[in-house]
Amino acid sequence: MKDKIIQILNKHNLKANPKQIENFYNILNKEEIDDKTLENLVLMNLTIGESYFFRDKEILKKLKNILKTKKFWKILSVGCSRGEEVYTLSFIAQELKINMEITGIDVNKERIKQAREGKYKNWSVRFLNKDQIEKYFEIKDGYFYVKEQYRKNVNFENLNILDLNNTDKKFDIIFLRRVLIYISNPEKIIEKIYSLLKNDGYLVIGLGEYFPDLFKYFSPLLPISSSILVKNPKKVESKQIHKKVLSEIKKQKIELNLEENIVILEKYIEKKEFDSAYKIVKQLSKKFPLSFIVWKYKAYIELELNLKNDAKESLKRALILNNKDEEIWQLKYAIEE
């Protein structure tokens, strides 16, 4: 079975570290699973699935200035997961009164199905305020459904970027945020992206992502943005541009916002590295004292570290800030057991 898992990853040009593969194998070892089910499980568990609406707000803010320059944009979101990024772009398009044709693709069939439904849990909207939620979603039975007006210009396809035809689709913007870190051969994907972009097209990657191979094909937007790149007229071999970009990134000393800090925090929690997570969440509670999400995480981590009294105090703060969050009440029951 382990060989089959590796074959599936290779088929989709994906990578996972040996420990992830070993842990996944140990879970499934005693199960009788057909090949199709195994492939679905691998893609569900060993590829990225985490996203939320309006992710990387600073990047989106810069992008809005670009989007205002013309009235129609053809956009591709690679590794679109459950569709939060695609719908966020649809929200922005209506806000700016421009037209977009947005396609989201992902190798995971189940996530594409969820994206097409436009149905989300509280976790996906956790950084939105009440007005945004009311504007973009219909709430039914505890789920958040993207309103019909934001679904007309979007399309989701279950496929690998390498299988997308070069000739019949050229895009103005391609989003490739937090995808390359999961790819075993990044340059192969980068070449494909290059062929799919119009000559004046833009590539958007995640905040803080850096792949030297990108700069053979793309140049940073000026003034330098480490996340929005423009297509080079032809492939270049220039080490100077790499040095220039790295130097600028260091100079900028980008300070992570709340969302980005939360993502880092979640990674430590996933790995059960609660001591490291606790150091981060204590700093966040001082920096963002009015964020119920921070206090909720603080209570959860304190509970895991058996700091029950501290957890109770953190939970009180979380409830004062938001007494309608179901997870906070679940934590309260767990702490009081």
Side-chain angles (χ1 to χ4, degrees), residues 118-122 137-146:
K119 174 183 174 183
Y120 298 93
K121 295 181 181 178
N122 184 66
F137 300 92
E138 300 284 353
I139 305 173
K140 299 176 187 174
D141 301 322
Y143 287 96
F144 300 81
Y145 293 83
V146 175

Side-chain angles (χ1 to χ4, degrees), residues 272-280 301 305:
K272 300 194 181 298
E273 296 177 8
F274 294 111
D275 288 329
S276 297
Y278 196 42
K279 289 177 184 176
I280 293 173
I301 294 164
L305 293 173

Side-chain angles (χ1 to χ4, degrees), residues 286-302:
K286 294 175 183 175
K287 190 174 179 181
F288 302 100
L290 298 180
S291 169
F292 80 90
I293 294 171
V294 169
W295 291 104
K296 178 170 70 172
Y297 271 119
K298 191 168 184 287
Y300 171 73
I301 294 164
E302 286 165 342

